[in-house]
Amino acid sequence: MSYALNAYARTSRSVMTPREAEAAVLTKAAQRLQIVRDDWANQTAELVPALNFNQKLWTILATASTEQDSPLPPEMKQSMVNLATFVFRRSIETMAEPAPEKLTAIININLNLAAGLSGR
């Protein structure tokens, strides 16, 4: 019985809330972009996959936040749309004319949003 209780305790600690999961994925996307930015000469092959991952994430966030049943207030919904629009535009600009400094704003947005979701 002790084994079962220990397994349950480990599992219950590892389950994330939706907010924690969103923060974790935003952080992961930011880290992927930061690796590319910080080691540009060796990581440029990872630029498009990292940007694609981030765009998929932002598509999900923007869609979820603007759905009819979203609990977010209207001004927050609009802010999410504005952020998503910026992220999409910056991603396309970066793919068209790659430069490591173009990733900084996306990284900062992801990390700041993740921090807000985590209550930091």
Side-chain angles (χ1 to χ4, degrees):
M1 189 63 140
S2 175
Y3 175 77
L5 287 174
N6 288 336
Y8 176 78
R10 280 191 308 273
T11 301
S12 68
R13 282 192 301 263
S14 67
V15 175
M16 290 189 267
T17 67
R19 288 175 66 103
E20 291 169 334
E22 289 170 347
V25 176
L26 280 160
T27 301
K28 178 181 178 177
Q31 288 171 338
R32 287 183 67 177
L33 293 168
Q34 193 163 356
I35 288 168
V36 172
R37 185 196 64 192
D38 292 348
D39 190 15
W40 187 255
N42 298 310
Q43 296 292 326
T44 53
E46 290 301 313
L47 175 64
V48 172
L51 285 169
N52 285 339
F53 179 82
N54 196 64
Q55 285 181 302
K56 288 175 186 174
L57 168 61
W58 275 94
T59 299
I60 293 167
L61 291 173
T63 302
S65 67
T66 58
E67 287 182 349
Q68 196 70 13
D69 61 346
S70 171
L72 296 175
E75 60 276 357
M76 188 166 288
K77 288 180 182 183
Q78 187 59 52
S79 293
M80 287 299 292
V81 168
N82 293 343
L83 284 172
T85 301
F86 174 82
V87 168
F88 296 147
R89 284 186 182 151
R90 180 56 64 97
S91 296
I92 292 167
E93 290 170 7
T94 306
M95 285 184 211
E97 295 180 25
E101 62 274 2
K102 291 181 180 179
L103 299 174
T104 301
I106 299 171
I107 293 166
N108 289 338
I109 289 168
N110 284 11
L111 292 176
N112 284 323
L113 188 55
L117 289 167
S118 299
R120 293 182 265 148

